[in-house]
Amino acid sequence: MNTNGHPLRLVVSREKQDSVIRGLYLVTDGGERLAERVEAAIDGGARAVQYRDKAGAGGRRLALGRELRELCAKRGVPFIINDDLELAKALKADGLHLGQEDGDPREARRILGPGRIIGVSTHTLREALEAQAAGADYIGFGAMYPTASKDIEHLPGPQTLAAIREQITIPVVAIGGISRDNGGTVIDAGADALAVISAVLSAPDPALAAAELSLLFNRRAAPPQGSVLTVAGSDSGGGAGIQADLKTITLLGSYGSSVLTALTAQNTRGVSGIHGLPPEFVAEQLDAVLSDIPVDTVKTGMLFSAGIIAAVADMLAEYRRRIVVVDPVMIAKGGAPLIDRHAVEILKERLLPRTYLLTPNIPEAERLTGMTIADEEGMQEAARRLHRLGTRNVLVKGGHLLSGDSVDILFDGSAFHRYAAPRILSKNTHGTGCTYASAIATFLARGEPLREAISRAKQFITAAIRHGQPLGKGHGPVNHYLAAQEFRDR
């Protein structure tokens, strides 16, 4: 707010406009609770909001527009009006987006003033070049894919976007049918921003949907790509826990930070001692990292106690961390319990509802659900039950089944996805679960959508097991280094 109590309007100079139209570009729908959903999307990472409401009555459009303008001003996000020059003037919007038949960008700039952002919808190279020559600050280009929000007359797709990219010097906002699963392809084709409507605003959790899409832009960042925070115990033997996590994160090309929950005395033969840290100190570590270091994904491992689990859940809620991968570490490789019954209940009540991806192996899934799992059907049923506890996605790992390929099953709330790899008979599997979950968190942080992140992490952990070498007298560790080398050579 300014000193007169009025909302601050974002005024963007021409020199800064290139940096504004980047990332997730949200286009509004006509649904209920729009301001609430838009605020959630901004919270999840939306970088610009375009107000589109062609069906609303004039008074309603103006009132809702004022509410959205104030919200965007408060959050420092550009507020852009779709097609309507008079509405943009009335609302003192930060910009105006024009269709091909909606006016001249030069005239719009003359009327709105030099500080406003002007965008133009285009479908061909000719239209894009004309908009650029007319002084547009960015172009919308598409459609990329078919969409239910409007009839598609032009479908140039990512291939055409890639073909025109070198001739367009202003930001390109890709539009049409973009989702978490195909957005990476559009970014790779050259999009500076992704315009979405239903992929975010129709999602059960708009903030999470926005966060998923926003992460995709890390795929174009300079190394290290993205940032992963691991919250786990220390393995003095170096094969699992925080040590395995940081090796994985670094070797796969992301930045790793860490919060310790417990110290263990262990080697390849087992755990001989555990010293849990005070929950208050775990919370202090989390606060130190999250208040200063950008964190894209959080991976949790051994949380040890009910108090620590509650502290972690509270801090993740306070800092609004949404892409949380939870590896529910409960039993050490040698059979030692790493969490008590009360802690399991707190995990289910406090942390799982905040979990983006849960990655239990079969013994852990059995303990969390109370069921016995003997085959893939049992894995699917366990995934369903765990999803009902509030976790967004569940990956049940089938390595403990004794025959056939090593199969993991993902349930995303609507469909199952199967990941299979040849089973490798080896006793050098220490750190498998930690490494796998950390690899998934890393690929997510680097800009891969969930299913692709799991697929690539499955390839990585399979290679790490295959390259495992005897070290010590018990279960040797997986080989992070050779697996990463093999992965980079593909």
Side-chain angles (χ1 to χ4, degrees):
M1 305 290 281
N2 64 20
T3 54
N4 294 320
H6 297 297
L8 290 171
R9 180 175 55 80
L10 182 70
V11 178
V12 185
S13 69
R14 292 298 301 272
E15 292 75 16
K16 293 183 178 180
Q17 283 162 8
D18 273 5
S19 64
V20 168
I21 307 301
R22 306 280 174 175
L24 183 60
Y25 183 108
L26 184 71
V27 182
T28 66
D29 62 14
E32 299 295 325
R33 301 181 295 103
L34 180 60
E36 177 185 330
R37 290 180 290 129
V38 168
E39 184 169 25
I42 294 172
D43 192 39
R47 299 281 298 275
V49 173
Q50 182 185 126
Y51 181 37
R52 178 176 181 264
D53 184 6
K54 295 186 177 182
R60 174 188 174 278
R61 292 177 68 212
L62 196 60
L64 185 52
R66 287 196 182 102
E67 185 177 5
L68 292 175
R69 181 201 65 188
E70 293 174 6
L71 169 62
C72 290
K74 180 175 67 175
R75 304 299 292 272
V77 170
F79 177 62
I80 296 171
I81 299 298
N82 181 74
D83 293 347
D84 193 327
L85 177 59
E86 292 305 314
L87 185 62
K89 284 176 56 181
L91 291 176
K92 299 181 181 179
D94 300 304
L96 174 68
H97 185 86
L98 297 170
Q100 282 293 304
E101 308 298 326
D102 296 319
D104 184 345
R106 299 179 187 89
E107 179 66 6
R109 187 175 305 286
R110 184 188 68 79
I111 293 172
L112 293 178
R116 302 302 198 276
I117 304 167
I118 306 296
V120 178
S121 291
T122 64
H123 316 96
T124 66
L125 175 60
R126 178 184 61 79
E127 291 177 352
L129 290 172
E130 288 176 353
Q132 181 171 272
D137 299 304
Y138 72 94
I139 60 166
F141 191 80
M144 295 294 105
Y145 305 99
T147 174
S149 65
K150 61 191 299 187
D151 294 333
I152 298 296
E153 297 179 10
H154 306 277
L155 192 65
Q159 297 83 4
T160 305
L161 170 58
I164 74 165
R165 178 67 265 198
E166 290 186 1
Q167 300 184 60
I168 303 301
T169 59
I170 57 178
V172 176
V173 180
I175 60 177
I178 296 169
S179 69
R180 174 198 71 184
D181 294 328
N182 63 32
T185 300
V186 180
I187 293 170
D188 292 343
D192 299 294
L194 301 179
V196 298
I197 305 175
S198 60
V200 170
L201 293 179
S202 295
D205 185 343
L208 179 61
E212 289 181 300
L213 282 157
S214 296
L215 273 186
L216 299 179
F217 289 91
N218 283 349
R219 65 201 297 116
R220 287 170 58 176
Q225 292 177 315
S227 172
V228 183
L229 167 62
T230 169
V231 184
S234 170
D235 174 2
S236 55
I242 217 100
Q243 288 83 355
D245 294 345
L246 290 174
K247 291 174 188 176
T248 301
I249 295 163
T250 301
L251 287 168
L252 290 180
S254 196
Y255 178 80
S257 53
S258 61
V259 166
L260 283 171
T261 59
L263 308 178
T264 68
Q266 67 174 298
N267 52 30
T268 64
R269 291 177 292 179
V271 178
S272 58
I274 303 177
H275 177 70
L277 297 179
E280 297 78 12
F281 186 65
V282 174
E284 186 175 349
Q285 293 177 77
L286 280 163
D287 184 56
V289 174
L290 294 173
S291 65
D292 178 52
I293 298 172
V295 170
D296 294 304
T297 63
V298 178
K299 178 264 176 183
T300 71
M302 184 180 75
L303 298 179
F304 184 64
S305 71
I308 290 175
I309 294 169
V312 170
D314 287 344
M315 292 301 293
L316 293 178
E318 180 177 340
Y319 280 97
R320 298 176 180 176
R321 297 298 94 188
R322 292 184 174 85
I323 309 298
V324 180
V325 177
V326 173
D327 183 25
V329 178
M330 297 180 179
I331 303 169
K333 184 68 67 178
L338 299 176
I339 189 172
D340 61 28
R341 177 173 296 182
H342 180 51
V344 172
E345 292 307 309
I346 297 299
L347 177 77
K348 291 162 69 173
E349 293 173 9
R350 301 285 300 278
L351 188 57
L352 294 196
R354 298 202 61 81
T355 298
Y356 177 68
L357 175 67
L358 182 69
T359 65
N361 60 29
I362 284 179
E364 291 160 351
E366 288 178 331
R367 187 167 182 190
L368 287 168
T369 63
M371 62 181 288
T372 299
I373 302 171
D375 51 27
E376 289 188 35
E377 288 185 4
M379 293 169 65
Q380 290 185 1
E381 177 56 29
R384 286 192 193 93
R385 295 188 188 186
L386 291 170
H387 184 268
R388 287 197 289 268
L389 294 177
T391 244
R392 296 288 191 253
N393 306 279
V394 182
L395 181 71
V396 179
K397 302 174 294 188
H400 285 77
L401 296 181
L402 300 178
S403 61
D405 287 346
S406 173
V407 175
D408 307 328
I409 293 178
L410 170 69
F411 182 58
D412 61 11
S414 59
F416 291 98
H417 307 275
R418 189 175 185 269
Y419 302 84
R423 186 175 297 276
I424 299 169
L425 298 179
S426 171
K427 73 171 187 175
N428 302 313
T429 56
H430 185 50
T432 302
C434 304
T435 299
Y436 191 9
S438 292
I440 296 170
T442 301
F443 286 121
L444 288 169
R446 289 186 56 189
E448 297 294 344
L450 177 61
R451 294 206 297 266
E452 180 63 20
I454 294 172
S455 178
R456 299 187 74 180
K458 179 73 170 178
Q459 296 171 43
F460 176 76
I461 190 57
T462 300
I465 295 171
R466 186 173 64 251
H467 289 297
Q469 298 175 353
L471 184 69
K473 300 176 182 178
H475 293 282
V478 300
N479 194 321
H480 302 85
Y481 181 77
L482 286 182
Q485 274 197 327
E486 179 179 308
F487 208 84
R488 283 195 296 268
D489 291 340
R490 290 180 179 172

